[in-house]
Amino acid sequence: MNELYDVDKRDTRTFEQRMQAYTLEDRARLTNAIDAAIEQRKAFNDTFQLITVSGEPRWVRITGNPLVVEGNVVQLIGTMLDVTPRKRVETQLLRQQALERAIMRAQASFIDEQGNAKALNPLLDDLLALTSSEYGFIGEVLYESADSPYLVAHAITDITWDEPSRLFFAKNAPEGMIFSNLDTLFGHVMRHEEVVISNTPASDPRSGGLPPGHPALNAFLGVPIHSHGQCIAMIGLAKRPTGYDTALVDFLAPLLGSIGQFINNLRHSRQQYTDQQAIARLSMVAKNTSNGVVITDAHGKVEWINDGFTRLSGYSFEEIVGKKPGQLVQGKATDRSTTQRIAHAIRHRQRFEEELLNYRKDGTPYWVHISCNPLPATEQTGGGFIAIQSDITETKRHEEALYKAANIDELTGLPNQRLARAQLEKLTQQPEPMSVYVLNLMTLICLMTYLATLPGTIF
């Protein structure tokens, strides 16, 4: 057990001293669990985080089972298991899922906002959450000349500190705040088109200082976003408690690519806005997205698909035109209640979002997130639909892995206590009378351990 705390085998720390190793929140949870085991004879099985004497975070799964003699708890019997590797995998899976959801929102936001730069505001929120940063911006890089870039911040955190700064923010933020001073950390990003990581900005020679009253800046990350060899955008993040590093930049790369695609599409929309109808804009986006796009008539029959849909499904335009997509891509394991909701939405010309199991032309199953919007009716047509399909197969696999980690015992492959209790509660809610037998193996072990201490007991 001393190894879990990273202390010498001869360490003589008391129970109370060892409890100090746990994080404040988990120390309280563990204390409550122990108290409940003693006072209420309630066994526990949970994961707690501690910090070793060398400063390393570690997660341990602790079980506690009260040994009751003549109505009193005389001992707690339990185990401690180092689950740090699994916890790190779970944490990485959760971060990966959060990143994938942010990418999906980034790709869908252009459709929803029709090229409106305000769609970058929720993407900035995602960036701040993913990186634990306090404030930041997403900006487009434009050029007065080849060597004179400037920044238009389409999404920026409000960090105003006095009345003049609040007035300036309120006036300029809605249309995009413009910054042209290159003698700053983010100016260095634009001028040299390179990542800037500064965890000591006050002493960084690339920094131009802060305006009087500006909130403190203890860490900064600036990342350029390129397209066709040119810097077209950048993000700036600040005040991450643990500072920034290149590993974080690599992690954010897929989302930054989506932001770059968004900025490119934003530029195209500005050029086309005056003479392009909504359907033309949507078609342009569809051709440039990696997701599958389907345009149907008012009855749900395919009029157009992009290459992304062909890559997802394996079906060419010639094979699917004039047919309903479900006729080809749905199969035996496709959820019927979901397809019924989709059919209802199409009949009533309603927007919908669903997750669905489809099948490729070769029979391979894959999961998609479908975001479908009705198109405006014209004199020639009654209005159709445009559907954006994102491949979420890997996300579903991550969800399954997390479910197993939380509910399935690794050793036996059987449901753990949490899942077993949930299933038992569901069974007991059935109206028909039934008998339920529960065998608690840990209690049996405790009983056998106790009986083994009695004279004359033979096993």
Side-chain angles (χ1 to χ4, degrees):
M1 184 172 69
N2 284 354
E3 293 180 357
L4 292 176
Y5 294 91
D6 199 16
V7 297
D8 187 82
K9 292 182 179 180
R10 293 170 293 180
D11 187 85
T12 58
R13 297 181 186 218
T14 65
F15 171 79
E16 289 75 13
Q17 289 173 328
R18 290 177 183 269
M19 287 291 289
Q20 295 302 312
Y22 292 88
T23 61
L24 189 62
E25 179 181 351
D26 282 9
R27 189 189 314 158
R29 290 198 305 113
L30 180 54
T31 301
N32 292 336
I34 294 174
D35 290 344
I38 296 173
E39 298 170 4
Q40 306 171 26
R41 308 176 190 176
K42 185 177 180 181
F44 65 89
N45 182 347
D46 206 348
T47 299
F48 304 90
Q49 184 181 7
L50 60 84
I51 306 298
T52 68
V53 294
S54 60
E56 177 189 356
R58 185 169 291 171
W59 286 264
V60 292
R61 176 164 288 279
I62 303 176
T63 64
N65 294 274
L67 178 61
V68 180
V69 177
E70 297 180 356
N72 297 312
V73 176
V74 298
Q75 191 175 15
L76 277 181
I77 301 176
T79 60
M80 295 181 68
L81 177 66
D82 186 355
V83 294
T84 302
R86 189 180 72 184
K87 192 69 177 179
R88 286 172 176 164
V89 170
E90 291 177 5
T91 301
Q92 184 60 32
L93 287 174
L94 290 172
R95 289 185 73 214
Q96 189 64 35
Q97 283 187 311
L99 178 66
E100 290 169 354
R101 287 193 296 269
I103 292 171
M104 289 175 58
R105 284 192 291 268
Q107 293 173 336
S109 63
F110 186 81
I111 301 298
D112 294 337
E113 296 291 341
Q114 297 184 1
N116 192 331
K118 292 180 180 178
L120 286 169
N121 287 317
L123 301 188
L124 176 58
D125 293 337
D126 286 332
L127 274 172
L128 296 177
L130 284 167
T131 61
S132 301
S133 299
E134 188 171 321
Y135 56 87
F137 63 82
I138 300 175
E140 181 180 2
V141 177
L142 299 173
Y143 294 84
E144 293 180 356
S145 62
D147 58 350
S148 299
Y150 65 95
L151 181 77
V152 179
H154 294 305
I156 185 169
T157 309
D158 183 355
I159 56 170
T160 54
W161 56 91
D162 56 21
E163 189 59 24
S165 63
R166 281 189 287 274
L167 291 174
F168 181 81
F169 184 88
K171 178 181 179 181
N172 295 279
E175 299 301 321
M177 300 183 70
I178 298 176
F179 300 93
S180 56
N181 182 8
L182 300 182
D183 297 324
T184 59
L185 290 173
F186 68 84
H188 188 94
V189 176
M190 293 189 293
R191 175 181 283 162
H192 299 279
E193 299 188 7
E194 63 183 20
V195 174
V196 168
I197 297 175
S198 180
N199 293 319
T200 54
S203 59
D204 195 312
R206 298 168 295 184
S207 174
L210 298 173
H214 190 287
L217 183 66
N218 63 356
F220 174 82
L221 170 67
V223 184
I225 300 173
H226 294 87
S227 177
H228 304 295
Q230 183 184 40
C231 179
I232 63 168
M234 70 162 289
I235 65 162
L237 302 171
K239 296 197 72 173
R240 187 182 191 224
T242 56
Y244 299 97
D245 52 41
T246 55
L248 183 64
V249 178
D250 293 338
F251 172 73
L252 293 175
L255 182 56
L256 300 184
S258 295
I259 292 174
Q261 184 183 45
F262 185 97
I263 295 296
N264 265 330
N265 288 335
L266 189 63
R267 292 181 170 186
H268 287 306
S269 288
R270 285 201 300 263
Q271 296 170 1
Q272 304 282 334
Y273 181 76
T274 56
D275 59 356
Q276 191 176 37
Q277 296 179 349
I279 183 61
R281 288 198 300 270
L282 292 171
S283 297
M284 181 274 295
V285 175
K287 291 177 181 178
N288 288 280
T289 184
S290 60
N291 292 332
V293 180
V294 181
I295 296 178
T296 72
D297 62 18
H299 304 290
K301 294 182 178 180
V302 173
E303 292 183 337
W304 184 86
I305 62 172
N306 72 337
D307 292 340
F309 180 85
T310 298
R311 286 192 297 270
L312 272 177
S313 68
Y315 290 100
S316 65
F317 172 75
E318 291 75 13
E319 292 172 312
I320 200 170
V321 64
K323 300 176 182 177
K324 294 183 177 181
Q327 294 174 343
L328 296 179
V329 298
Q330 294 173 12
K332 59 182 180 180
T334 302
D335 184 62
R336 297 307 166 196
S337 60
T338 304
T339 58
Q340 289 172 2
R341 289 195 302 271
I342 292 175
H344 179 273
I346 290 176
R347 282 197 304 271
H348 294 84
R349 291 191 53 74
Q350 296 173 342
R351 182 185 182 278
F352 66 86
E353 286 195 34
E354 295 287 355
E355 292 183 356
L356 196 66
L357 179 66
N358 283 342
Y359 292 82
R360 294 187 174 89
K361 185 179 178 180
D362 63 3
T364 305
Y366 66 101
W367 281 91
V368 291
H369 175 275
I370 304 174
S371 177
C372 184
N373 291 275
L375 295 172
T378 66
E379 294 181 358
Q380 292 77 26
T381 69
F385 296 85
I386 180 168
I388 312 298
Q389 298 189 4
S390 304
D391 188 348
I392 59 170
T393 304
E394 286 302 314
T395 300
K396 286 292 184 180
R397 289 174 181 164
H398 292 329
E399 290 176 354
E400 182 180 359
L402 288 174
Y403 176 85
K404 289 182 177 179
N407 297 288
I408 303 299
D409 182 78
E410 292 181 0
L411 183 61
T412 65
L414 299 174
N416 60 17
Q417 289 187 13
R418 180 188 303 152
L419 180 57
R421 287 173 181 169
Q423 292 174 338
L424 181 58
E425 289 176 1
K426 185 175 180 180
L427 285 173
T428 57
Q429 293 173 1
Q430 301 298 322
E432 298 81 12
M434 63 184 300
S435 298
V436 178
Y437 298 90
V438 179
L439 177 61
N440 189 318
L441 295 180
M442 293 305 299
T443 301
L444 180 60
I445 292 172
C446 293
L447 178 60
M448 293 175 67
T449 302
Y450 169 69
L451 293 176
T453 64
L454 300 179
T457 303
I458 300 176
F459 290 93

